[in-house]
Amino acid sequence: MRFFKRRSSCQVARDRLKILLITDRVNCSPEMVELIKKDITRVISKYVKIDTDNMEIQICAKKGSSRSGKAPVLYANIPILDLQKQGRQLL
């Protein structure tokens, strides 16, 4: 049984282009997104085991209260593999 669906290279390329366009519109470089992704990964990995290969981090513009009417929003989809980390049970 497969738990993770493989994405085609076309889908991956399309997703990367979308992210690039969105981050450009909200003045956040792809390098900055990668730094944010690494930091989020490091912090969350202290507490739970996550699937870093299939996690998605995006910054996009959403209607907000800023002067331009749009504000940057961070979306994170981080698959959790195990709620236990280093022999400790959470909750």
Side-chain angles (χ1 to χ4, degrees):
M1 177 189 282
R2 280 184 93 171
F3 291 103
F4 301 107
K5 187 171 79 173
R6 284 226 187 259
R7 298 185 304 170
S8 71
S9 59
C10 177
Q11 289 171 318
V12 171
R14 185 181 315 130
D15 290 345
R16 287 183 181 163
L17 181 58
K18 279 184 195 176
I19 291 168
L20 181 64
L21 291 172
I22 290 168
T23 54
D24 185 51
R25 287 184 196 142
V26 295
N27 293 324
C28 184
S29 70
E31 293 82 14
M32 180 63 74
V33 173
E34 278 305 308
L35 289 172
I36 292 169
K37 185 175 181 176
K38 286 178 184 177
D39 283 347
I40 290 172
T41 300
R42 183 179 45 80
V43 170
I44 293 176
S45 293
K46 289 181 182 180
Y47 304 100
V48 294
K49 185 176 179 184
I50 60 174
D51 182 0
T52 56
D53 293 332
N54 291 301
M55 69 184 278
E56 298 174 38
I57 304 288
Q58 295 180 13
I59 296 177
C60 56
K62 189 158 184 156
K63 245 185 190 176
S65 59
S66 68
R67 281 184 257 181
S68 66
K70 293 194 175 193
V73 176
L74 175 79
Y75 287 103
N77 180 6
I78 305 170
I80 297 173
L81 297 175
D82 193 354
L83 290 175
Q84 295 183 25
K85 184 70 176 175
Q86 298 176 356
R88 295 178 292 172
Q89 174 92 22
L90 296 178
L91 302 174

